[in-house]
Amino acid sequence: MANVLELRDVSFVRNGNRILDQLSWSVDEADRWVVLGPNGAGKSTILQLAAAATHPTSGTIDVLGERVGKVDVFELRTRIGLAATGLARRIPAAERVGDVVLTAAYAVTGRWHERYESLDLERAAEVMDAWDLAPLANRPFGTLSDGERKRVQIARAVMTDPELMLLDEPAGSLDLGARESLLASLEEYASSSLAPAIVMVTHHVEEIPPGFTHGMLLREGRIVAAGPLDSVLTDAHLTETFGLGLEVAHDGGRWSARATR
Ligand SMILES: Nc1ncnc2c1ncn2[C@@H]1O[C@H](COP(=O)(O)OP(=O)(O)O)[C@@H](O)[C@H]1O
Ligand SMILES: [Mg+2]
């Protein structure tokens, strides 16, 4: 199995704040990781580093066999799928959903003068189907619900057939129905042997899709626990991560947590 992501002693310092502190972590191509932790723990920063969107202050990062800082990051970024809220804000409200997904093949937003190959059109149709977006193909992006927007973002990332998929709170702000339906889609995507390595950030254990294999718990820029989900999601680890007494339950492939009574 090949290593798709390797962080060694990575620290990230901004304005004198140590946002990540001596983090070491590796992700294998068959892994589906969830990164869990409270707000401000450094989860999104890890994803930005994994996406080669920013550089560590110290330590080394290898993504898809390339050392960040030593290779052409533009080339490297075309091999990484990233779905994060910040990117959604850059999508023009008037752009049709079909074009939002299609233009991912060209790493742009806004359909201007690119010429699309029929292969790309076929692939876009396939991805739209898989993420239940076909009925929305002609809708302007700005008219979609939060849940629909999240699906479009993920479909846009899937469209490029990445070797590493990074999802930052894909189920954040969704209502119960939209969350459950997105989790079912993520479960299906993650279960395919063709799917890339996946790292998904969340702060709720309820949002972990069945089939995810590994977990990292993060608190104030440090790893509390990392490894196979069963060994990581314990009462003691969650309690330490979130700073209050928690008990965790695992049933039918799904996780839940509540304050200790
Ligand atoms: N570029 C930056 N400059 C200063 N502080 C930052 C920067 N990026 C993130 N932070 C701070 O680092 C901490 C971790 O941020 P983040 O990775 O977004 O956490 P999370 O995604 O776990 O909520 C937060 O306290 C945030 O305010
Ligand atoms: Mg975040």
Side-chain angles (χ1 to χ4, degrees):
M1 285 195 289
N3 212 242
V4 294
L5 185 61
E6 176 96 46
L7 276 64
R8 278 200 205 88
D9 294 327
V10 165
S11 294
F12 188 81
V13 179
R14 282 293 180 276
N15 306 329
N17 292 327
R18 195 159 274 272
I19 292 161
L20 296 177
D21 192 18
Q22 300 269 323
L23 219 95
S24 293
W25 180 42
S26 65
V27 172
D28 223 82
E29 68 183 356
D31 294 352
R32 283 88 177 88
W33 279 83
V34 59
V35 176
L36 268 158
N39 278 322
K43 305 183 295 298
S44 295
T45 304
I46 292 181
L47 279 201
Q48 293 299 315
L49 289 166
T54 185
H55 288 51
T57 307
S58 61
T60 60
I61 302 182
D62 293 294
V63 187
L64 302 172
E66 310 282 359
R67 174 67 45 93
V68 173
K70 294 218 167 132
V71 291
D72 176 3
V73 286
F74 293 101
E75 167 85 39
L76 184 56
R77 281 178 204 151
T78 62
R79 301 167 60 195
I80 302 166
L82 173 66
T85 310
L87 295 176
R89 282 193 216 103
R90 270 184 251 153
I91 297 173
E95 190 166 341
R96 290 177 340 111
V97 168
D99 288 337
V100 175
V101 175
L102 181 64
T103 55
Y106 302 85
V108 295
T109 57
R111 187 171 180 173
W112 302 108
H113 303 295
E114 307 89 12
R115 301 184 57 183
Y116 294 92
E117 309 280 346
S118 60
L119 262 179
D120 294 325
L121 291 165
E122 274 167 37
R123 168 102 185 122
E126 208 179 277
V127 170
M128 304 265 295
D129 261 347
W131 293 87
D132 299 332
L133 293 169
L136 301 174
N138 288 315
R139 284 266 300 275
F141 183 73
T143 67
L144 301 184
S145 71
D146 277 352
E148 291 163 344
R149 281 175 203 225
K150 297 273 184 182
R151 279 178 183 280
V152 172
Q153 276 171 259
I154 297 170
R156 198 177 141 81
V158 170
M159 176 68 192
T160 61
D161 214 359
E163 294 162 70
L164 171 63
M165 176 64 94
L166 307 169
L167 304 166
D168 200 349
E169 296 189 34
S173 85
L174 299 188
D175 68 41
L176 187 56
R179 179 188 86 181
E180 290 301 303
S181 112
L182 184 72
L183 288 185
S185 298
L186 285 171
E187 176 185 7
E188 196 178 327
Y189 178 65
S191 71
S192 163
S193 59
L194 297 174
I198 304 173
V199 178
M200 176 187 140
V201 161
T202 177
H203 31 230
H204 296 296
V205 296
E206 288 78 4
E207 293 176 357
I208 302 174
F212 271 54
T213 58
H214 290 74
M216 179 209 283
L217 298 179
L218 198 67
R219 177 189 170 91
E220 293 174 0
R222 293 189 190 171
I223 294 176
V224 173
L229 265 182
D230 284 327
S231 63
V232 165
L233 292 184
T234 63
D235 295 354
H237 288 153
L238 277 185
T239 293
E240 187 182 343
T241 304
F242 288 91
L244 82 162
L246 288 169
E247 48 192 44
V248 60
H250 187 201
D251 179 35
R254 295 289 296 276
W255 298 84
S256 59
R258 57 187 288 177
T260 310
R261 278 155 292 175

